Amino acid sequence: MNPFSSFLSLLLPLLVTLFLLILLLEQIWYLRRKRNVPGPNILFPFLGNVIPLITNPTKFWQLQAQLSASVGFSVNYVAGRFIVFIRNTELSHLIFANVKPDAFLLVGHPFGKKLFGQHNMVYMFGQDHKNLRRHIASNFTPKALSTYAQLQQLIILKHFKSWERLWSTVSPAEPIPLRLLVRDMNLQTSQTVFLGKYLSSEARERFRVDYDLFNAGLMKLPFDLPGFAFRKAKLGAERILKTLTHCAAESKKRMLQGEDPSCLIDFWVQEMVRLTAESKTPPPHSTDEEIGSYLFDFLFAAQDASTSSLLWVVTLLDSHPDVLRKVREEVSGIWSPESDVLMTAEQLREMKYTQAVALEVVRYRPPATLVPHIAVEDFPLTEWYTIPKGSIVFPSVYESSFQGFREADRFEPE
């Protein structure tokens, strides 16, 4: 036997022993955090349950909900991270009420900072977050909301007419998939409300492509290497941010010239211009790049979740003709599409039953089902269990939506 073979024969048992020791320590680490909480008792080495999470996420979270039925929460282990799934509404409220430096931070996505960037509203807390919220209040004045309502209606009516033309070209027996049509309408609506004419037609198309890449990357493992979906998503997000930063700069030019605001970014920048003129210094979080990053947050929040809710509106109204009849009666008593005028914000507020339908859609099929947080410190969730520091906590908005309601499984706007 040569010296190298002899060395390997001595080293191999040590490596095998070390590997088995690491596996054992991983199991012990997990079980010490798990204690007697419902969840898997044996882990797949290193990966945990990441494979079933990726291959069938719906089934994965349904199983977590079933496991948590007895005590209100359950645990699991995914790619080196200990996770806590919360089903009980009161416990979820406890998490939401403790987003602060010594308790929980909202993460939005386990690898979100790499995608969304550092200047991101999702990861702000404390006084910085309060200051930013105060500065964006100008985006939601009655005048601003009326402007947005008019922009939305113009785009929605245009898309409705195009859908009618599309329907006239196909066989009545041939269904037309609505998902992509609604998503395109929603994307154009949010882009126009937030950015107005600052976004050119070429930029809108590039934005749409990059946004698709970004969404695909959110569902993949964070391999930041050329050719991988995560890298494509990261590069797409950087291009989107560059475009939004340019839009912020263009808006500042117009608002400094005293022009009237025509979209959300204008109302935002107009207030910043006013504050800068008063104090002679720009307010915090007012650079073009920061504004662009926050607009990215708005656009992300306004896209897929809203598209999901709009599709559920169509589905639920179609399956509940009595609700659809009441909505039509209420709307037709206030506004007619043949009137050639747009609905005002005041008219929208008069539609109480229609508002109830919208709220019930969000309750019955919440678009944002899980809201991940990370435990900054050990946190006492109950009298007998403390969430370990570093855990990713998933309060389930979906499960809470079916707690405390009469006949919760029934769609009932009343």
Side-chain angles (χ1 to χ4, degrees), residues 23 26-27 40-52 76-80:
L23 294 185
E26 181 185 46
Q27 296 286 334
N41 293 315
I42 300 177
L43 299 175
F44 189 85
F46 306 117
L47 295 177
N49 284 296
V50 70
I51 294 176
N76 211 313
Y77 178 80
V78 174

PDB file of all heavy atoms in Angstrom, residues 23 26-27 40-52 76-80:
ATOM      1  N   LEU A  23     -24.331  15.466  11.618  1.00  0.00           N
ATOM      2  CA  LEU A  23     -25.742  15.122  11.453  1.00  0.00           C
ATOM      3  C   LEU A  23     -26.437  15.009  12.802  1.00  0.00           C
ATOM      4  O   LEU A  23     -27.568  15.479  12.975  1.00  0.00           O
ATOM      5  CB  LEU A  23     -25.884  13.813  10.680  1.00  0.00           C
ATOM      6  CG  LEU A  23     -25.420  13.804   9.222  1.00  0.00           C
ATOM      7  CD1 LEU A  23     -25.757  12.461   8.579  1.00  0.00           C
ATOM      8  CD2 LEU A  23     -26.059  14.940   8.438  1.00  0.00           C
ATOM      9  N   GLU A  26     -26.950  18.439  14.303  1.00  0.00           N
ATOM     10  CA  GLU A  26     -28.032  19.137  13.619  1.00  0.00           C
ATOM     11  C   GLU A  26     -29.383  18.686  14.150  1.00  0.00           C
ATOM     12  O   GLU A  26     -30.274  19.506  14.413  1.00  0.00           O
ATOM     13  CB  GLU A  26     -27.939  18.880  12.115  1.00  0.00           C
ATOM     14  CG  GLU A  26     -29.019  19.603  11.301  1.00  0.00           C
ATOM     15  CD  GLU A  26     -28.976  19.233   9.827  1.00  0.00           C
ATOM     16  OE1 GLU A  26     -28.872  18.028   9.524  1.00  0.00           O
ATOM     17  OE2 GLU A  26     -29.047  20.149   8.984  1.00  0.00           O
ATOM     18  N   GLN A  27     -29.547  17.377  14.336  1.00  0.00           N
ATOM     19  CA  GLN A  27     -30.800  16.841  14.867  1.00  0.00           C
ATOM     20  C   GLN A  27     -31.039  17.339  16.292  1.00  0.00           C
ATOM     21  O   GLN A  27     -32.160  17.741  16.646  1.00  0.00           O
ATOM     22  CB  GLN A  27     -30.765  15.305  14.854  1.00  0.00           C
ATOM     23  CG  GLN A  27     -30.679  14.673  13.480  1.00  0.00           C
ATOM     24  CD  GLN A  27     -31.980  14.747  12.701  1.00  0.00           C
ATOM     25  OE1 GLN A  27     -33.053  14.822  13.285  1.00  0.00           O
ATOM     26  NE2 GLN A  27     -31.877  14.737  11.384  1.00  0.00           N
ATOM     27  N   PRO A  40     -42.097  17.874  12.332  1.00  0.00           N
ATOM     28  CA  PRO A  40     -41.345  16.642  12.054  1.00  0.00           C
ATOM     29  C   PRO A  40     -40.299  16.384  13.137  1.00  0.00           C
ATOM     30  O   PRO A  40     -39.662  17.304  13.632  1.00  0.00           O
ATOM     31  CB  PRO A  40     -40.699  16.919  10.696  1.00  0.00           C
ATOM     32  CG  PRO A  40     -40.690  18.406  10.558  1.00  0.00           C
ATOM     33  CD  PRO A  40     -41.912  18.889  11.285  1.00  0.00           C
ATOM     34  N   ASN A  41     -40.119  15.108  13.470  1.00  0.00           N
ATOM     35  CA  ASN A  41     -39.165  14.733  14.515  1.00  0.00           C
ATOM     36  C   ASN A  41     -37.801  14.357  13.962  1.00  0.00           C
ATOM     37  O   ASN A  41     -36.805  14.383  14.686  1.00  0.00           O
ATOM     38  CB  ASN A  41     -39.716  13.561  15.336  1.00  0.00           C
ATOM     39  CG  ASN A  41     -40.934  13.965  16.153  1.00  0.00           C
ATOM     40  OD1 ASN A  41     -40.941  15.012  16.788  1.00  0.00           O
ATOM     41  ND2 ASN A  41     -41.966  13.134  16.141  1.00  0.00           N
ATOM     42  N   ILE A  42     -37.755  13.982  12.689  1.00  0.00           N
ATOM     43  CA  ILE A  42     -36.498  13.590  12.052  1.00  0.00           C
ATOM     44  C   ILE A  42     -36.283  14.455  10.815  1.00  0.00           C
ATOM     45  O   ILE A  42     -37.196  14.662  10.022  1.00  0.00           O
ATOM     46  CB  ILE A  42     -36.517  12.094  11.668  1.00  0.00           C
ATOM     47  CG1 ILE A  42     -36.704  11.232  12.913  1.00  0.00           C
ATOM     48  CG2 ILE A  42     -35.230  11.711  10.941  1.00  0.00           C
ATOM     49  CD1 ILE A  42     -36.806   9.754  12.616  1.00  0.00           C
ATOM     50  N   LEU A  43     -35.066  14.960  10.647  1.00  0.00           N
ATOM     51  CA  LEU A  43     -34.763  15.861   9.538  1.00  0.00           C
ATOM     52  C   LEU A  43     -33.989  15.151   8.440  1.00  0.00           C
ATOM     53  O   LEU A  43     -33.171  14.272   8.711  1.00  0.00           O
ATOM     54  CB  LEU A  43     -33.907  17.039  10.036  1.00  0.00           C
ATOM     55  CG  LEU A  43     -34.495  17.952  11.100  1.00  0.00           C
ATOM     56  CD1 LEU A  43     -33.436  18.960  11.512  1.00  0.00           C
ATOM     57  CD2 LEU A  43     -35.721  18.664  10.565  1.00  0.00           C
ATOM     58  N   PHE A  44     -34.242  15.568   7.215  1.00  0.00           N
ATOM     59  CA  PHE A  44     -33.347  15.205   6.120  1.00  0.00           C
ATOM     60  C   PHE A  44     -32.092  16.055   6.293  1.00  0.00           C
ATOM     61  O   PHE A  44     -32.193  17.265   6.491  1.00  0.00           O
ATOM     62  CB  PHE A  44     -34.006  15.483   4.767  1.00  0.00           C
ATOM     63  CG  PHE A  44     -33.254  14.940   3.603  1.00  0.00           C
ATOM     64  CD1 PHE A  44     -33.434  13.632   3.205  1.00  0.00           C
ATOM     65  CD2 PHE A  44     -32.331  15.732   2.914  1.00  0.00           C
ATOM     66  CE1 PHE A  44     -32.717  13.109   2.131  1.00  0.00           C
ATOM     67  CE2 PHE A  44     -31.618  15.223   1.848  1.00  0.00           C
ATOM     68  CZ  PHE A  44     -31.808  13.897   1.456  1.00  0.00           C
ATOM     69  N   PRO A  45     -30.896  15.460   6.255  1.00  0.00           N
ATOM     70  CA  PRO A  45     -29.667  16.211   6.566  1.00  0.00           C
ATOM     71  C   PRO A  45     -29.513  17.489   5.752  1.00  0.00           C
ATOM     72  O   PRO A  45     -29.708  17.498   4.538  1.00  0.00           O
ATOM     73  CB  PRO A  45     -28.560  15.199   6.230  1.00  0.00           C
ATOM     74  CG  PRO A  45     -29.205  13.865   6.381  1.00  0.00           C
ATOM     75  CD  PRO A  45     -30.632  14.061   5.949  1.00  0.00           C
ATOM     76  N   PHE A  46     -29.179  18.549   6.436  1.00  0.00           N
ATOM     77  CA  PHE A  46     -28.834  19.859   5.875  1.00  0.00           C
ATOM     78  C   PHE A  46     -30.004  20.560   5.165  1.00  0.00           C
ATOM     79  O   PHE A  46     -30.255  21.722   5.405  1.00  0.00           O
ATOM     80  CB  PHE A  46     -27.640  19.756   4.914  1.00  0.00           C
ATOM     81  CG  PHE A  46     -26.445  19.092   5.514  1.00  0.00           C
ATOM     82  CD1 PHE A  46     -25.961  17.901   5.001  1.00  0.00           C
ATOM     83  CD2 PHE A  46     -25.807  19.641   6.623  1.00  0.00           C
ATOM     84  CE1 PHE A  46     -24.865  17.274   5.574  1.00  0.00           C
ATOM     85  CE2 PHE A  46     -24.708  19.026   7.192  1.00  0.00           C
ATOM     86  CZ  PHE A  46     -24.242  17.841   6.664  1.00  0.00           C
ATOM     87  N   LEU A  47     -30.709  19.864   4.303  1.00  0.00           N
ATOM     88  CA  LEU A  47     -31.787  20.484   3.543  1.00  0.00           C
ATOM     89  C   LEU A  47     -33.081  20.587   4.329  1.00  0.00           C
ATOM     90  O   LEU A  47     -33.907  21.459   4.072  1.00  0.00           O
ATOM     91  CB  LEU A  47     -32.039  19.711   2.247  1.00  0.00           C
ATOM     92  CG  LEU A  47     -30.913  19.708   1.221  1.00  0.00           C
ATOM     93  CD1 LEU A  47     -31.296  18.846   0.030  1.00  0.00           C
ATOM     94  CD2 LEU A  47     -30.594  21.123   0.782  1.00  0.00           C
ATOM     95  N   GLY A  48     -33.282  19.696   5.297  1.00  0.00           N
ATOM     96  CA  GLY A  48     -34.564  19.682   6.003  1.00  0.00           C
ATOM     97  C   GLY A  48     -35.690  19.366   5.034  1.00  0.00           C
ATOM     98  O   GLY A  48     -35.603  18.434   4.235  1.00  0.00           O
ATOM     99  N   ASN A  49     -36.738  20.172   5.059  1.00  0.00           N
ATOM    100  CA  ASN A  49     -37.907  19.952   4.198  1.00  0.00           C
ATOM    101  C   ASN A  49     -37.983  20.960   3.057  1.00  0.00           C
ATOM    102  O   ASN A  49     -39.071  21.326   2.613  1.00  0.00           O
ATOM    103  CB  ASN A  49     -39.188  20.006   5.033  1.00  0.00           C
ATOM    104  CG  ASN A  49     -39.374  18.736   5.849  1.00  0.00           C
ATOM    105  OD1 ASN A  49     -39.541  17.652   5.304  1.00  0.00           O
ATOM    106  ND2 ASN A  49     -39.328  18.875   7.161  1.00  0.00           N
ATOM    107  N   VAL A  50     -36.820  21.400   2.567  1.00  0.00           N
ATOM    108  CA  VAL A  50     -36.812  22.381   1.491  1.00  0.00           C
ATOM    109  C   VAL A  50     -37.340  21.792   0.181  1.00  0.00           C
ATOM    110  O   VAL A  50     -37.985  22.497  -0.613  1.00  0.00           O
ATOM    111  CB  VAL A  50     -35.391  22.961   1.297  1.00  0.00           C
ATOM    112  CG1 VAL A  50     -34.449  21.923   0.715  1.00  0.00           C
ATOM    113  CG2 VAL A  50     -35.441  24.192   0.405  1.00  0.00           C
ATOM    114  N   ILE A  51     -37.122  20.496  -0.055  1.00  0.00           N
ATOM    115  CA  ILE A  51     -37.569  19.891  -1.318  1.00  0.00           C
ATOM    116  C   ILE A  51     -39.094  19.865  -1.412  1.00  0.00           C
ATOM    117  O   ILE A  51     -39.661  20.321  -2.417  1.00  0.00           O
ATOM    118  CB  ILE A  51     -36.956  18.486  -1.494  1.00  0.00           C
ATOM    119  CG1 ILE A  51     -35.432  18.615  -1.666  1.00  0.00           C
ATOM    120  CG2 ILE A  51     -37.567  17.772  -2.704  1.00  0.00           C
ATOM    121  CD1 ILE A  51     -34.707  17.286  -1.744  1.00  0.00           C
ATOM    122  N   PRO A  52     -39.824  19.349  -0.396  1.00  0.00           N
ATOM    123  CA  PRO A  52     -41.299  19.419  -0.492  1.00  0.00           C
ATOM    124  C   PRO A  52     -41.822  20.853  -0.515  1.00  0.00           C
ATOM    125  O   PRO A  52     -42.849  21.123  -1.129  1.00  0.00           O
ATOM    126  CB  PRO A  52     -41.778  18.668   0.757  1.00  0.00           C
ATOM    127  CG  PRO A  52     -40.607  18.572   1.660  1.00  0.00           C
ATOM    128  CD  PRO A  52     -39.403  18.565   0.782  1.00  0.00           C
ATOM    129  N   ASN A  76     -40.804  23.626  11.792  1.00  0.00           N
ATOM    130  CA  ASN A  76     -40.184  22.837  10.745  1.00  0.00           C
ATOM    131  C   ASN A  76     -38.753  23.334  10.565  1.00  0.00           C
ATOM    132  O   ASN A  76     -38.320  24.264  11.259  1.00  0.00           O
ATOM    133  CB  ASN A  76     -40.973  22.925   9.438  1.00  0.00           C
ATOM    134  CG  ASN A  76     -40.885  21.656   8.610  1.00  0.00           C
ATOM    135  OD1 ASN A  76     -39.793  21.111   8.412  1.00  0.00           O
ATOM    136  ND2 ASN A  76     -42.025  21.183   8.121  1.00  0.00           N
ATOM    137  N   TYR A  77     -38.059  22.756   9.600  1.00  0.00           N
ATOM    138  CA  TYR A  77     -36.656  23.095   9.360  1.00  0.00           C
ATOM    139  C   TYR A  77     -36.429  23.094   7.859  1.00  0.00           C
ATOM    140  O   TYR A  77     -36.717  22.109   7.178  1.00  0.00           O
ATOM    141  CB  TYR A  77     -35.771  22.061  10.053  1.00  0.00           C
ATOM    142  CG  TYR A  77     -34.281  22.247   9.870  1.00  0.00           C
ATOM    143  CD1 TYR A  77     -33.579  23.177  10.636  1.00  0.00           C
ATOM    144  CD2 TYR A  77     -33.569  21.468   8.970  1.00  0.00           C
ATOM    145  CE1 TYR A  77     -32.206  23.341  10.497  1.00  0.00           C
ATOM    146  CE2 TYR A  77     -32.193  21.618   8.820  1.00  0.00           C
ATOM    147  CZ  TYR A  77     -31.525  22.551   9.586  1.00  0.00           C
ATOM    148  OH  TYR A  77     -30.166  22.710   9.449  1.00  0.00           O
ATOM    149  N   VAL A  78     -35.940  24.224   7.323  1.00  0.00           N
ATOM    150  CA  VAL A  78     -35.770  24.368   5.882  1.00  0.00           C
ATOM    151  C   VAL A  78     -34.400  24.980   5.589  1.00  0.00           C
ATOM    152  O   VAL A  78     -34.131  26.128   5.967  1.00  0.00           O
ATOM    153  CB  VAL A  78     -36.878  25.258   5.276  1.00  0.00           C
ATOM    154  CG1 VAL A  78     -36.607  25.508   3.806  1.00  0.00           C
ATOM    155  CG2 VAL A  78     -38.250  24.619   5.453  1.00  0.00           C
ATOM    156  N   ALA A  79     -33.547  24.207   4.943  1.00  0.00           N
ATOM    157  CA  ALA A  79     -32.240  24.695   4.474  1.00  0.00           C
ATOM    158  C   ALA A  79     -31.468  25.444   5.561  1.00  0.00           C
ATOM    159  O   ALA A  79     -30.981  26.557   5.347  1.00  0.00           O
ATOM    160  CB  ALA A  79     -32.417  25.566   3.245  1.00  0.00           C
ATOM    161  N   GLY A  80     -31.361  24.826   6.717  1.00  0.00           N
ATOM    162  CA  GLY A  80     -30.589  25.419   7.799  1.00  0.00           C
ATOM    163  C   GLY A  80     -31.320  26.435   8.645  1.00  0.00           C
ATOM    164  O   GLY A  80     -30.734  26.996   9.576  1.00  0.00           O
TER     165      GLY A  80
END
